[in-house]
Amino acid sequence: MDLSTLTIDANEAAKRISTVVNRTPLQYNQHLSEQYGAEIYLKREDLQVVRSYKLRGAYNKIVSLSSEEASRGVTCASAGNHAQGVALSCKKLNIKGTIFMPGPTPRQKITQTEMWGNGYIEIVLTGDTFDDCQKAALEYTRIHNMTFIPPFDDQKVIEGQGTVAVEVLEDLPDLDAIFIPIGGGGLSSGVSYHMKKHAPNVKLYGIEPEGAASMQAAIKNNGPIELEHINKFVDGAAVKKVGALTYSLSSQLLDSVKSVPEGKICTTILELYNKDAIVVEPAGALSIAALEFHKEEIKGKKVVCIISGGNNDIDRMSEIKELSLLYEGFKHYFIVRFPQRPGALRLLVTEVLGPKDDITRFEYIKKTERERGPALIGIELNDPNDYVPFIDRMKSYKFDFIELNKDQTLFEYLV
């Protein structure tokens, strides 16, 4: 695609949305700066009105509709943040909206969407993923002759998301690099388009969750391609297929697109909360989680990380902690078949486990009503470096075991 044919003007969009959208702070972060030997700044879109950048694109699109398009009502499909942006936009502009959300969407995001819409919107829960949900929304839009508000693949939406870059450049004109989360590609397209036009020397890093690397798949395929399976944990960025327009923009303008493991994202969420009292959702932690994988490139540089959202459900914190412990090597799960001799369990506790290690889960897998099979055991180590000695002790005491952390199919089935 010839990008010169596009009419994307984030500066004009910034004026258009200024009465509704907050100008979010760009904050210097001391502990990250010290950790990476760079000047790290956080663009706090978690402090946006609806706690994510999505309001920018949604409002810019809806306020730009003709009176005839607006009168028919609007629809959208969203995992949560775009839904909230559309809901508030409907309320501000007195437009009726129908919002489709995937079935697994956290309750917190559903409740927030209802609150922002305040009587102007109806919510329909359908499908397991965003892509399933969007298909239903498009069909409903066609049948009821409404106006669909795309979550990312639209010039006005992309233009609105680009206002993040407008504010970043005004606050830090001499930045060297910016890390941008990628889901469907609206934010990365808008930010990269504005940056390449007004600050072409700034390095642009696009960051995806490892389990939903749809932009990398599109780049490899020379066009958007639907992933057969995705990890839905990073719900704000778990998209099976990026848009045609966002692919064209992001693939041509971003300097690199890389992915970050979900476990690293979880560790980042916990560190941001414990060290800075910043609450982010999984997608909001993507850009900061990526710093570890670019630490040599960013030394001595002025770097901006976009925190894309802060709509995290407190009920997910136990899962986040678990995934972090697994990723960092503290927690391990095993299927253990105990040696057929008295005191085998006591041997595991007294001789195999380290003095500061802990058993966090223990349950026998029944073979029959009277006979116990092997045991599912969860172990939390005091130090990840103790893992190899622990395995060596298991072997030396003749325990027959399977390491579930290394078998994804068994892990998902049993843990």
Side-chain angles (χ1 to χ4, degrees):
M1 174 181 288
D2 182 2
L3 303 186
S4 65
T5 63
L6 298 177
T7 54
I8 296 175
D9 190 337
N11 285 316
E12 284 301 311
K15 299 173 186 175
R16 196 177 298 123
I17 68 177
S18 62
T19 58
V20 173
V21 173
N22 283 346
R23 182 188 181 93
T24 55
L26 184 66
Q27 296 178 341
Y28 174 77
N29 187 279
Q30 182 172 339
H31 95 261
L32 288 171
S33 298
E34 292 173 352
Q35 182 177 350
Y36 293 107
E39 289 185 35
I40 308 295
Y41 296 82
L42 306 182
K43 180 58 173 169
R44 298 289 306 276
E45 285 300 294
D46 57 303
L47 299 178
Q48 191 49 260
V49 180
V50 297
R51 296 196 294 191
S52 92
Y53 73 94
K54 285 284 192 175
L55 175 61
R56 297 172 181 270
Y59 189 80
N60 189 57
K61 172 67 175 178
I62 295 173
V63 78
S64 301
L65 295 176
S66 67
S67 56
E68 189 274 332
E69 289 172 323
S71 68
R72 290 190 270 125
V74 301
T75 62
C76 78
S78 169
N81 289 338
H82 179 57
Q84 293 180 57
V86 170
L88 181 57
S89 300
C90 287
K91 177 186 173 184
K92 292 288 186 180
L93 296 168
N94 298 316
I95 295 172
K96 287 293 184 180
T98 302
I99 295 175
F100 287 73
M101 304 177 81
T105 301
R107 182 64 207 172
Q108 181 262 357
K109 288 189 176 182
I110 297 171
T111 302
Q112 289 293 109
T113 303
E114 291 171 336
M115 179 191 74
W116 293 119
N118 195 27
Y120 282 88
I121 58 104
E122 174 190 0
I123 294 176
V124 178
L125 298 177
T126 183
D128 291 329
T129 67
F130 162 76
D131 303 86
D132 299 331
C133 172
Q134 179 165 257
K135 288 175 184 176
L138 289 170
E139 179 65 10
Y140 183 92
T141 304
R142 183 187 65 80
I143 292 172
H144 293 86
N145 192 32
M146 298 174 76
T147 302
F148 186 70
I149 308 301
F152 46 80
D153 206 32
D154 177 271
Q155 285 196 44
K156 285 298 179 185
V157 172
I158 290 169
E159 183 180 73
Q161 318 306 26
T163 61
V164 172
V166 173
E167 295 175 13
V168 167
L169 273 181
E170 288 175 352
D171 291 344
L172 192 69
D174 58 342
L175 80 158
D176 297 301
I178 185 165
F179 284 75
I180 315 164
I182 298 179
L187 181 64
S188 62
S189 296
V191 170
S192 61
Y193 186 90
H194 188 80
M195 284 292 181
K196 285 298 183 185
K197 187 174 181 180
H198 298 280
N201 293 325
V202 173
K203 192 86 168 178
L204 304 172
Y205 297 95
I207 310 298
E208 298 183 288
E210 189 172 76
S214 51
M215 185 63 76
Q216 289 173 83
I219 291 170
K220 186 176 181 180
N221 186 61
N222 293 317
I225 183 172
E226 184 168 314
L227 300 178
E228 187 175 352
H229 301 290
I230 60 172
N231 184 330
K232 293 176 281 188
F233 174 76
V234 186
D235 53 301
V239 175
K240 283 186 176 181
K241 184 179 179 180
V242 299
L245 179 56
T246 58
Y247 159 73
S248 294
L249 285 162
S250 295
S251 62
Q252 292 184 61
L253 299 175
L254 292 173
D255 292 291
S256 75
V257 179
K258 294 182 180 178
S259 55
V260 175
E262 279 73 8
K264 177 62 178 176
I265 294 168
C266 291
T267 297
T268 303
I269 291 171
L270 296 173
E271 288 178 346
L272 282 170
Y273 179 77
N274 291 327
K275 295 180 180 180
D276 299 297
I278 296 175
V279 177
V280 299
E281 62 188 88
L286 270 170
S287 60
I288 299 171
L291 294 176
E292 181 67 25
F293 305 99
H294 298 81
K295 54 187 176 184
E296 296 304 320
E297 301 168 55
I298 64 174
K299 279 185 179 177
K301 306 293 186 181
K302 289 186 177 181
V303 178
V304 171
C305 293
I306 300 175
I307 297 181
S308 57
N311 286 302
N312 201 4
D313 192 333
I314 192 67
D315 292 337
R316 303 186 74 188
M317 291 308 290
S318 59
E319 180 188 11
I320 289 169
K321 183 180 179 182
E322 172 88 350
L323 290 174
S324 173
L325 289 170
L326 288 166
Y327 175 77
E328 299 296 335
F330 286 99
K331 202 160 193 178
H332 302 269
Y333 287 91
F334 302 88
I335 294 294
V336 179
R337 190 179 300 278
F338 287 94
Q340 296 302 307
R341 60 177 183 268
L345 177 56
R346 184 170 63 251
L347 185 67
L348 173 70
V349 175
T350 59
E351 300 297 330
V352 178
L353 278 179
K356 294 184 179 180
D357 299 337
D358 193 16
I359 295 177
T360 59
R361 183 171 176 180
F362 187 99
E363 57 185 89
Y364 279 110
I365 300 172
K366 285 186 177 182
K367 294 177 71 176
T368 68
E369 285 300 315
R370 296 184 177 182
E371 184 181 2
R372 288 172 176 171
L376 170 62
I377 300 178
I379 304 292
E380 187 170 330
L381 301 175
N382 181 62
D383 186 330
N385 294 320
D386 293 338
Y387 179 68
V388 173
F390 173 80
I391 293 296
D392 290 341
R393 290 193 296 272
M394 290 270 279
K395 292 176 179 178
S396 67
Y397 283 102
K398 308 301 182 186
F399 284 93
D400 181 15
F401 62 92
I402 298 173
E403 300 174 69
L404 294 183
N405 294 49
K406 296 182 179 180
D407 190 321
Q408 189 64 28
T409 302
L410 274 177
F411 184 91
E412 291 178 357
Y413 181 73
L414 295 171
V415 179

PDB file of all heavy atoms in Angstrom, residues 102-116:
ATOM      1  N   PRO A 102     -16.477 -10.849  23.801  1.00  0.00           N
ATOM      2  CA  PRO A 102     -16.292 -12.300  23.924  1.00  0.00           C
ATOM      3  C   PRO A 102     -16.795 -12.821  25.263  1.00  0.00           C
ATOM      4  O   PRO A 102     -16.733 -12.114  26.279  1.00  0.00           O
ATOM      5  CB  PRO A 102     -14.772 -12.471  23.798  1.00  0.00           C
ATOM      6  CG  PRO A 102     -14.293 -11.227  23.131  1.00  0.00           C
ATOM      7  CD  PRO A 102     -15.220 -10.131  23.585  1.00  0.00           C
ATOM      8  N   GLY A 103     -17.267 -14.051  25.277  1.00  0.00           N
ATOM      9  CA  GLY A 103     -17.777 -14.655  26.499  1.00  0.00           C
ATOM     10  C   GLY A 103     -16.806 -14.623  27.661  1.00  0.00           C
ATOM     11  O   GLY A 103     -17.217 -14.351  28.801  1.00  0.00           O
ATOM     12  N   PRO A 104     -15.478 -14.885  27.448  1.00  0.00           N
ATOM     13  CA  PRO A 104     -14.530 -14.907  28.570  1.00  0.00           C
ATOM     14  C   PRO A 104     -14.087 -13.530  29.073  1.00  0.00           C
ATOM     15  O   PRO A 104     -13.218 -13.451  29.944  1.00  0.00           O
ATOM     16  CB  PRO A 104     -13.318 -15.664  27.989  1.00  0.00           C
ATOM     17  CG  PRO A 104     -13.799 -16.319  26.745  1.00  0.00           C
ATOM     18  CD  PRO A 104     -14.886 -15.432  26.220  1.00  0.00           C
ATOM     19  N   THR A 105     -14.651 -12.448  28.531  1.00  0.00           N
ATOM     20  CA  THR A 105     -14.242 -11.113  28.964  1.00  0.00           C
ATOM     21  C   THR A 105     -14.384 -10.973  30.481  1.00  0.00           C
ATOM     22  O   THR A 105     -15.426 -11.317  31.042  1.00  0.00           O
ATOM     23  CB  THR A 105     -15.104 -10.030  28.286  1.00  0.00           C
ATOM     24  OG1 THR A 105     -14.973 -10.143  26.866  1.00  0.00           O
ATOM     25  CG2 THR A 105     -14.674  -8.633  28.721  1.00  0.00           C
ATOM     26  N   PRO A 106     -13.342 -10.480  31.184  1.00  0.00           N
ATOM     27  CA  PRO A 106     -13.446 -10.305  32.637  1.00  0.00           C
ATOM     28  C   PRO A 106     -14.655  -9.468  33.028  1.00  0.00           C
ATOM     29  O   PRO A 106     -14.985  -8.468  32.367  1.00  0.00           O
ATOM     30  CB  PRO A 106     -12.137  -9.580  32.987  1.00  0.00           C
ATOM     31  CG  PRO A 106     -11.179 -10.005  31.928  1.00  0.00           C
ATOM     32  CD  PRO A 106     -12.007 -10.119  30.672  1.00  0.00           C
ATOM     33  N   ARG A 107     -15.317  -9.860  34.098  1.00  0.00           N
ATOM     34  CA  ARG A 107     -16.533  -9.182  34.548  1.00  0.00           C
ATOM     35  C   ARG A 107     -16.281  -7.700  34.806  1.00  0.00           C
ATOM     36  O   ARG A 107     -17.157  -6.850  34.563  1.00  0.00           O
ATOM     37  CB  ARG A 107     -17.056  -9.859  35.830  1.00  0.00           C
ATOM     38  CG  ARG A 107     -18.351  -9.252  36.370  1.00  0.00           C
ATOM     39  CD  ARG A 107     -19.507  -9.432  35.397  1.00  0.00           C
ATOM     40  NE  ARG A 107     -20.511  -8.372  35.548  1.00  0.00           N
ATOM     41  CZ  ARG A 107     -21.531  -8.192  34.739  1.00  0.00           C
ATOM     42  NH1 ARG A 107     -21.696  -8.977  33.691  1.00  0.00           N
ATOM     43  NH2 ARG A 107     -22.397  -7.220  34.937  1.00  0.00           N
ATOM     44  N   GLN A 108     -15.088  -7.397  35.281  1.00  0.00           N
ATOM     45  CA  GLN A 108     -14.755  -6.004  35.582  1.00  0.00           C
ATOM     46  C   GLN A 108     -14.898  -5.121  34.343  1.00  0.00           C
ATOM     47  O   GLN A 108     -15.396  -3.991  34.407  1.00  0.00           O
ATOM     48  CB  GLN A 108     -13.322  -5.932  36.145  1.00  0.00           C
ATOM     49  CG  GLN A 108     -12.849  -4.549  36.531  1.00  0.00           C
ATOM     50  CD  GLN A 108     -11.988  -3.917  35.442  1.00  0.00           C
ATOM     51  OE1 GLN A 108     -11.695  -4.534  34.429  1.00  0.00           O
ATOM     52  NE2 GLN A 108     -11.603  -2.678  35.662  1.00  0.00           N
ATOM     53  N   LYS A 109     -14.470  -5.640  33.164  1.00  0.00           N
ATOM     54  CA  LYS A 109     -14.550  -4.848  31.940  1.00  0.00           C
ATOM     55  C   LYS A 109     -16.000  -4.709  31.466  1.00  0.00           C
ATOM     56  O   LYS A 109     -16.385  -3.667  30.919  1.00  0.00           O
ATOM     57  CB  LYS A 109     -13.686  -5.480  30.848  1.00  0.00           C
ATOM     58  CG  LYS A 109     -12.186  -5.316  31.090  1.00  0.00           C
ATOM     59  CD  LYS A 109     -11.364  -5.743  29.895  1.00  0.00           C
ATOM     60  CE  LYS A 109      -9.887  -5.456  30.148  1.00  0.00           C
ATOM     61  NZ  LYS A 109      -9.038  -5.820  28.990  1.00  0.00           N
ATOM     62  N   ILE A 110     -16.785  -5.732  31.681  1.00  0.00           N
ATOM     63  CA  ILE A 110     -18.204  -5.667  31.305  1.00  0.00           C
ATOM     64  C   ILE A 110     -18.926  -4.604  32.145  1.00  0.00           C
ATOM     65  O   ILE A 110     -19.672  -3.769  31.634  1.00  0.00           O
ATOM     66  CB  ILE A 110     -18.873  -7.040  31.492  1.00  0.00           C
ATOM     67  CG1 ILE A 110     -18.224  -8.076  30.566  1.00  0.00           C
ATOM     68  CG2 ILE A 110     -20.381  -6.951  31.229  1.00  0.00           C
ATOM     69  CD1 ILE A 110     -18.656  -9.500  30.833  1.00  0.00           C
ATOM     70  N   THR A 111     -18.672  -4.643  33.454  1.00  0.00           N
ATOM     71  CA  THR A 111     -19.298  -3.682  34.369  1.00  0.00           C
ATOM     72  C   THR A 111     -18.888  -2.258  34.029  1.00  0.00           C
ATOM     73  O   THR A 111     -19.716  -1.327  34.025  1.00  0.00           O
ATOM     74  CB  THR A 111     -18.897  -4.001  35.824  1.00  0.00           C
ATOM     75  OG1 THR A 111     -19.304  -5.342  36.133  1.00  0.00           O
ATOM     76  CG2 THR A 111     -19.562  -3.035  36.795  1.00  0.00           C
ATOM     77  N   GLN A 112     -17.599  -2.061  33.734  1.00  0.00           N
ATOM     78  CA  GLN A 112     -17.116  -0.728  33.380  1.00  0.00           C
ATOM     79  C   GLN A 112     -17.764  -0.224  32.094  1.00  0.00           C
ATOM     80  O   GLN A 112     -18.118   0.949  31.992  1.00  0.00           O
ATOM     81  CB  GLN A 112     -15.590  -0.759  33.207  1.00  0.00           C
ATOM     82  CG  GLN A 112     -14.805  -0.919  34.504  1.00  0.00           C
ATOM     83  CD  GLN A 112     -14.943   0.286  35.417  1.00  0.00           C
ATOM     84  OE1 GLN A 112     -15.590   0.216  36.460  1.00  0.00           O
ATOM     85  NE2 GLN A 112     -14.346   1.392  35.031  1.00  0.00           N
ATOM     86  N   THR A 113     -17.920  -1.117  31.126  1.00  0.00           N
ATOM     87  CA  THR A 113     -18.542  -0.724  29.858  1.00  0.00           C
ATOM     88  C   THR A 113     -19.980  -0.269  30.092  1.00  0.00           C
ATOM     89  O   THR A 113     -20.426   0.749  29.540  1.00  0.00           O
ATOM     90  CB  THR A 113     -18.504  -1.898  28.862  1.00  0.00           C
ATOM     91  OG1 THR A 113     -17.141  -2.314  28.670  1.00  0.00           O
ATOM     92  CG2 THR A 113     -19.096  -1.502  27.523  1.00  0.00           C
ATOM     93  N   GLU A 114     -20.716  -1.019  30.901  1.00  0.00           N
ATOM     94  CA  GLU A 114     -22.093  -0.638  31.234  1.00  0.00           C
ATOM     95  C   GLU A 114     -22.123   0.733  31.915  1.00  0.00           C
ATOM     96  O   GLU A 114     -22.996   1.563  31.625  1.00  0.00           O
ATOM     97  CB  GLU A 114     -22.708  -1.689  32.155  1.00  0.00           C
ATOM     98  CG  GLU A 114     -22.959  -3.026  31.474  1.00  0.00           C
ATOM     99  CD  GLU A 114     -23.378  -4.124  32.455  1.00  0.00           C
ATOM    100  OE1 GLU A 114     -23.037  -4.002  33.661  1.00  0.00           O
ATOM    101  OE2 GLU A 114     -24.024  -5.081  32.019  1.00  0.00           O
ATOM    102  N   MET A 115     -21.163   0.963  32.794  1.00  0.00           N
ATOM    103  CA  MET A 115     -21.122   2.235  33.515  1.00  0.00           C
ATOM    104  C   MET A 115     -20.877   3.402  32.565  1.00  0.00           C
ATOM    105  O   MET A 115     -21.560   4.430  32.629  1.00  0.00           O
ATOM    106  CB  MET A 115     -20.030   2.192  34.580  1.00  0.00           C
ATOM    107  CG  MET A 115     -19.904   3.489  35.373  1.00  0.00           C
ATOM    108  SD  MET A 115     -18.408   3.542  36.393  1.00  0.00           S
ATOM    109  CE  MET A 115     -17.149   3.813  35.141  1.00  0.00           C
ATOM    110  N   TRP A 116     -19.879   3.248  31.662  1.00  0.00           N
ATOM    111  CA  TRP A 116     -19.550   4.355  30.761  1.00  0.00           C
ATOM    112  C   TRP A 116     -20.676   4.623  29.779  1.00  0.00           C
ATOM    113  O   TRP A 116     -20.935   5.765  29.407  1.00  0.00           O
ATOM    114  CB  TRP A 116     -18.247   4.061  30.010  1.00  0.00           C
ATOM    115  CG  TRP A 116     -17.027   4.025  30.866  1.00  0.00           C
ATOM    116  CD1 TRP A 116     -16.185   2.976  31.071  1.00  0.00           C
ATOM    117  CD2 TRP A 116     -16.497   5.097  31.662  1.00  0.00           C
ATOM    118  NE1 TRP A 116     -15.173   3.313  31.946  1.00  0.00           N
ATOM    119  CE2 TRP A 116     -15.346   4.613  32.322  1.00  0.00           C
ATOM    120  CE3 TRP A 116     -16.889   6.416  31.892  1.00  0.00           C
ATOM    121  CZ2 TRP A 116     -14.589   5.393  33.179  1.00  0.00           C
ATOM    122  CZ3 TRP A 116     -16.142   7.199  32.758  1.00  0.00           C
ATOM    123  CH2 TRP A 116     -14.999   6.698  33.388  1.00  0.00           C
TER     124      TRP A 116
END
